[in-house]
Amino acid sequence: MTTLQQVWLSWKDPLTSDMQTLALGLPIAIGRDANSMPTAIANGQPVAKLTLNSSQVSRYHALISLQADQLWIGDQNSSNGVFVNGQRQTQRSLKSGDVVRIGPYEISITTTAPNQPATQRRSSDSFIQVPDQQLPDPPSSSSPLEAFPPAEFQAQYVSPQQLYATGLPVEEIDYVAIGAGLGSYIWVDFLRVYGVQAQQVRALGLEGKPYGRYQRLCLNSQIPAHERLRSNSDSCPDNLWGWPSYALREAYGDFLRGHFQAALRHLWQVFTEPILTETYTPRSGNVFKSIDREAARIGWHHMYRFGRVRAIRKTDDGRYAIAYSAGRGRHAFVIGRYVHLCTGYPVIQFLPDLQDYREKTGDFKTVVNAYEEHDHVYSTLERQGGTVLIRGRGIVASRVIQRIYEARRRNPNISILHLMRSPKPVGNKFGLAQRPVSNHFELQPFNWPKACWGGTLREQLENAAPRERTNLLADWGGTTTADRHDWRDIIQTGLDKGWYRIVFGDVVAVEPDAQGRPVTRIREKGITGELTLTANYIIDATGLDGKVKSTPLLNDLVTHYQLTLNALGRFQVNNDFEMPEMRNRSGRMYAAGAITFGGPHAAVDSFLGLQYCALKSVEALAQENASQVRPLHPLASLSQWFKWINNQAP
Ligand SMILES: Cc1cc2nc3c(=O)[nH]c(=O)nc-3n(C[C@H](O)[C@H](O)[C@H](O)COP(=O)(O)OP(=O)(O)OC[C@H]3O[C@@H](n4cnc5c(N)ncnc54)[C@H](O)[C@@H]3O)c2cc1C
């Protein structure tokens, strides 16, 4: 018998959702602080160290070692304990396939190299571009005459004269919002309320409606207009005061239609949530309508221009030149002094084994991502019945299960296999707070604890040093779903009736069977050998990826100006969301949304988070006396609010 020399530890990063796999020699010390872990154990054997970022992880938390040819894990007097397959342990033997939970990390232990495609490739290798409505010309032009952006863009600074000399259209304007999605719209809304004229703002993007891409992602992930979102009543992208809130507006609408009971229910809900009632959330259709109204009020359609932004450069006169394409051969430049970059999620992330399956089989119909268009799955299930295997246990998985539940009303011959890596007996803990868990789903009204938006946690993160921020985000983050009674009921009914089954295991491979169905081979927890799960469809509900290097525009910016990225691979920003390395004399460049995750604000990818980013950057512009931006003192704010109420231009 050969003595075990090393083990493989695999886990999903609680912050980025990246799969990490490390092969480490034994013994292995695990903790938060490498300096607090021993360099050798009693017999002088050197120790490999695994550092995990979270304040739930003690400085020296656990030791994995070999004793008489048996693998053991020992708790090193940690504050929050070591859990093996869900049970708290002080000292326990380990076998291949066990899952060790330390703080928010769930680490699978294997004694043989895990299957290559499934676990050793990083998930960032596996993505597809978030689909856009219209796609002007491909990234590189076919003809050298058409080379765009031009050679001048290879320099650190370009001069406006050089751009005019290209003969292409050049526009000079004060404010440029890149992306023209929800985050850009919110920034522009703030600028307008703070006094900037619509003629001084340009928004460049690919969707006429600021919520175009967001709406598509909602529809793909099964949130139609009548379904409710996951934000609270006063997170109103159309109204920076947050009042009247969505609950009040919905109650008013119901009242006018004579639906008195429904009106009272919404009001009762916002007064008593989340103790006596579930948290109120607005219908997506109502949010879109409200954005349309505000877009018309601030003159969005005069400010918006269609175009894919290809590159951003500093100019030699303290501004920024933005090169964009509005179709094949239709290129242009905008020069602006204040630029806001908010391009949302660059890519849809695929689990590596599912991406492998799609690449090998060319089958994009049976293995799908919940964020891509996949309505054919539900319509075929309604006609023919079948089994769906779901991966991921966040809010999108809940939506997909709800949609399949609805399909079952038309055809009860539909079943769900829900594959999870490990059980979730207890929820994440921070201080005295602990999230509830129901049937291995961790529950929380919003994607972050509420105090991350306006409370103490927001301040704590802003004041924290970069390394501490990563720890805090790992503590507060993690995959959760909304605590909705209908979703809990659906899961419980499915479990009771047997059409919904949860399976725990690590994927070894996904392969087609003779009938072309995807078969998932897994190593089930606590069982030696493999189990096969045959399904008609696999839905990957694990998420979107916000790493800036996945997109040509942002990658070009990072490499051209050698920008420092934060620990999570996103742009480093100051507390007012300025990109410090892009400062250009009086020129300022700000970033917002998913591309700034890991910085001063946790909930950057949310309505209220985007409003907070906009508030901080526009307040900073007001302090800099930026063109037309006036401080919004209380009386000015009140007057602007009356204009909002009366639907008058700011
Ligand atoms: C399904 C789903 C549901 C959500 N629900 C909620 C919720 O209920 N509550 C909440 O608060 N938050 C929610 N969010 C989070 C957040 O509010 C949205 O992700 C929001 O759309 C983020 O806005 P954004 O401007 O960063 O990105 P987007 O709205 O996606 O806008 C980015 C825009 O940039 C454009 N773009 C990208 N690259 C370029 C380029 N090179 N040139 C030109 N344009 C470019 C894209 O086409 C896109 O239109 C949800 C997110 C998703 C995906």
Side-chain angles (χ1 to χ4, degrees):
M1 180 179 157
T2 50
T3 310
L4 194 60
Q5 300 289 337
Q6 61 177 6
V7 289
W8 282 260
L9 291 89
S10 317
W11 67 94
K12 192 166 117 182
D13 190 288
L15 269 178
T16 60
S17 295
D18 274 351
M19 281 305 298
Q20 311 276 358
T21 298
L22 274 183
L24 291 176
L26 291 162
I28 304 164
I30 304 175
R32 193 177 80 224
D33 175 20
N35 293 330
S36 305
M37 296 185 244
T39 44
I41 53 169
N43 60 7
Q45 234 187 323
V47 169
K49 296 177 186 180
L50 174 64
T51 315
L52 300 175
N53 293 328
S54 163
S55 58
Q56 297 298 298
V57 178
S58 296
R59 286 169 202 285
Y60 175 29
H61 200 112
L63 180 77
I64 299 177
S65 59
L66 201 62
Q67 297 168 26
D69 281 339
Q70 172 64 53
L71 207 53
W72 285 84
I73 187 160
D75 189 335
Q76 304 299 315
N77 292 323
S78 69
S79 312
N80 294 305
V82 171
F83 294 79
V84 180
N85 301 332
Q87 303 290 320
R88 189 167 181 160
Q89 310 284 347
T90 44
Q91 184 78 10
R92 207 200 104 142
S93 62
L94 286 179
K95 58 183 179 325
S96 201
D98 280 345
V99 176
V100 172
R101 186 160 61 80
I102 291 180
Y105 292 83
E106 291 185 353
I107 305 170
S108 291
I109 310 287
T110 30
T111 51
T112 50
N115 185 276
Q116 184 73 7
T119 47
Q120 279 202 324
R121 261 177 45 175
R122 287 176 54 98
S123 56
S124 48
D125 296 343
S126 305
F127 51 73
I128 54 172
Q129 217 67 36
V130 172
D132 280 311
Q133 188 87 307
Q134 298 139 309
L135 293 168
D137 59 359
S140 59
S141 306
S142 45
S143 143
L145 287 175
E146 254 192 51
F148 188 81
E152 287 77 7
F153 265 58
Q154 282 163 18
Q156 292 289 298
Y157 291 88
V158 298
S159 79
Q161 292 73 18
Q162 287 174 319
L163 302 184
Y164 281 107
T166 61
L168 293 169
V170 181
E171 180 187 27
E172 298 191 44
I173 203 160
D174 284 334
Y175 298 90
V176 187
I178 298 175
L182 270 187
S184 302
Y185 157 86
I186 287 171
W187 187 68
V188 170
D189 195 39
F190 270 77
L191 285 180
R192 296 282 287 114
V193 170
Y194 274 67
V196 178
Q197 298 296 306
Q199 299 89 302
Q200 281 317 314
V201 185
R202 180 66 61 235
L204 288 173
L206 302 163
E207 314 260 356
K209 299 252 183 207
Y211 53 79
R213 187 202 256 184
Y214 171 62
Q215 185 180 36
R216 209 165 39 260
L217 288 173
C218 282
L219 289 173
N220 288 351
S221 57
Q222 307 307 309
I223 314 176
H226 65 270
E227 261 296 342
R228 293 191 181 271
L229 295 170
R230 198 191 187 182
S231 25
N232 72 339
S233 174
D234 47 5
S235 297
C236 310
D238 65 308
N239 172 336
L240 59 93
W241 300 272
W243 203 87
S245 67
Y246 281 129
L248 202 57
R249 295 187 227 175
E250 192 173 346
Y252 182 64
D254 282 340
F255 187 79
L256 291 184
R257 282 189 294 274
H259 302 158
F260 303 118
Q261 230 181 340
L264 285 174
R265 196 173 54 240
H266 303 313
L267 296 179
W268 173 246
Q269 218 176 336
V270 280
F271 279 118
T272 56
E273 68 181 22
I275 309 292
L276 297 183
T277 48
E278 271 172 22
T279 310
Y280 169 89
T281 54
R283 288 186 201 281
S284 70
N286 289 349
V287 170
F288 299 141
K289 264 190 228 149
S290 74
I291 293 176
D292 280 338
R293 173 195 185 263
E294 181 67 352
R297 189 181 83 91
I298 63 171
W300 175 259
H301 301 292
H302 301 295
M303 299 181 270
Y304 169 76
R305 288 284 175 283
F306 171 71
R308 178 179 288 284
V309 174
R310 306 276 290 271
I312 305 164
R313 294 291 179 264
K314 294 178 186 176
T315 60
D316 57 10
D317 62 358
R319 294 182 290 168
Y320 304 91
I322 294 134
Y324 71 97
S325 306
R328 187 165 291 282
R330 291 176 49 219
H331 309 304
F333 303 101
V334 178
I335 301 175
R337 190 168 303 282
Y338 307 106
V339 172
H340 185 260
L341 183 60
C342 190
T343 47
Y345 281 108
V347 289
I348 291 176
Q349 185 169 279
F350 254 102
L351 286 164
D353 52 85
L354 298 183
Q355 181 70 0
D356 270 347
Y357 181 91
R358 283 166 58 118
E359 278 166 17
K360 276 188 199 140
T361 59
D363 175 1
F364 296 86
K365 288 281 173 198
T366 53
V367 173
V368 294
N369 189 290
Y371 285 108
E372 62 181 339
E373 208 284 303
H374 66 282
D375 280 347
H376 64 277
V377 171
Y378 308 105
S379 50
T380 315
L381 285 171
E382 283 171 5
R383 278 197 319 275
Q384 299 171 2
T387 301
V388 184
L389 187 141
I390 298 175
R391 309 268 297 267
R393 54 176 135 179
I395 188 144
V396 179
S398 300
R399 295 273 180 214
V400 166
I401 295 169
Q402 180 193 357
R403 179 66 185 84
I404 296 174
Y405 172 79
E406 286 159 10
R408 287 193 87 257
R409 291 206 194 110
R410 297 207 172 88
N411 186 341
N413 201 15
I414 304 172
S415 58
I416 301 174
L417 286 171
H418 200 157
L419 177 57
M420 301 181 182
R421 286 189 68 232
S422 53
K424 188 94 205 167
V426 285
N428 224 15
K429 222 175 115 194
F430 183 72
L432 295 176
Q434 182 158 28
R435 288 188 195 126
V437 167
S438 168
N439 285 315
H440 306 282
F441 284 86
E442 216 174 328
L443 307 174
Q444 184 170 267
F446 311 114
N447 55 345
W448 291 94
K450 206 172 173 191
C452 286
W453 277 272
T456 47
L457 301 188
R458 189 201 78 207
E459 236 177 87
Q460 194 178 348
L461 195 69
E462 261 173 0
N463 296 333
R467 163 103 198 207
E468 205 188 325
R469 281 182 179 165
T470 319
N471 288 351
L472 290 170
L473 291 170
D475 291 343
W476 306 335
T479 306
T480 61
T481 190
D483 189 3
R484 279 177 47 166
H485 75 273
D486 55 340
W487 288 352
R488 285 198 310 271
D489 289 351
I490 289 173
I491 298 283
Q492 200 50 55
T493 311
L495 285 168
D496 293 344
K497 302 217 161 135
W499 54 261
Y500 171 81
R501 191 156 74 88
I502 301 175
V503 189
F504 301 106
D506 280 323
V507 174
V508 177
V510 185
E511 289 152 353
D513 70 3
Q515 293 157 52
R517 291 174 305 182
V519 176
T520 308
R521 283 179 20 229
I522 62 163
R523 259 189 228 112
E524 214 179 0
K525 306 291 169 207
I527 293 180
T528 38
E530 287 177 10
L531 190 79
T532 53
L533 305 171
T534 305
N536 299 85
Y537 293 100
I538 297 181
I539 302 181
D540 180 347
T542 54
L544 295 159
D545 182 10
K547 277 192 218 59
V548 299
K549 288 202 161 183
S550 339
T551 132
L553 169 68
L554 306 185
N555 189 38
D556 167 79
L557 196 63
V558 172
T559 40
H560 196 79
Y561 289 107
Q562 303 196 336
L563 301 183
T564 321
L565 297 181
N566 68 26
L568 304 182
R570 274 64 160 191
F571 287 124
Q572 192 174 299
V573 287
N574 294 341
N575 282 6
D576 60 4
F577 291 87
E578 187 190 347
M579 298 169 71
E581 294 154 313
M582 286 305 291
R583 186 173 275 208
N584 190 16
R585 287 192 260 165
S586 62
R588 297 285 180 275
M589 187 159 162
Y590 298 93
I595 56 175
T596 63
F597 180 53
H601 195 70
V604 279
D605 185 48
S606 67
F607 300 162
L608 206 54
L610 289 165
Q611 284 185 311
Y612 186 69
C613 300
L615 174 73
K616 295 290 275 187
S617 56
V618 174
E619 283 285 333
L621 287 172
Q623 278 186 7
E624 300 262 345
N625 293 320
S627 169
Q628 298 185 352
V629 178
R630 291 188 297 271
L632 198 65
H633 53 74
L635 272 183
S637 179
L638 188 65
S639 132
Q640 284 293 339
W641 181 78
F642 273 113
K643 287 187 173 173
W644 184 91
I645 283 285
N646 294 317
N647 205 12
Q648 292 165 343

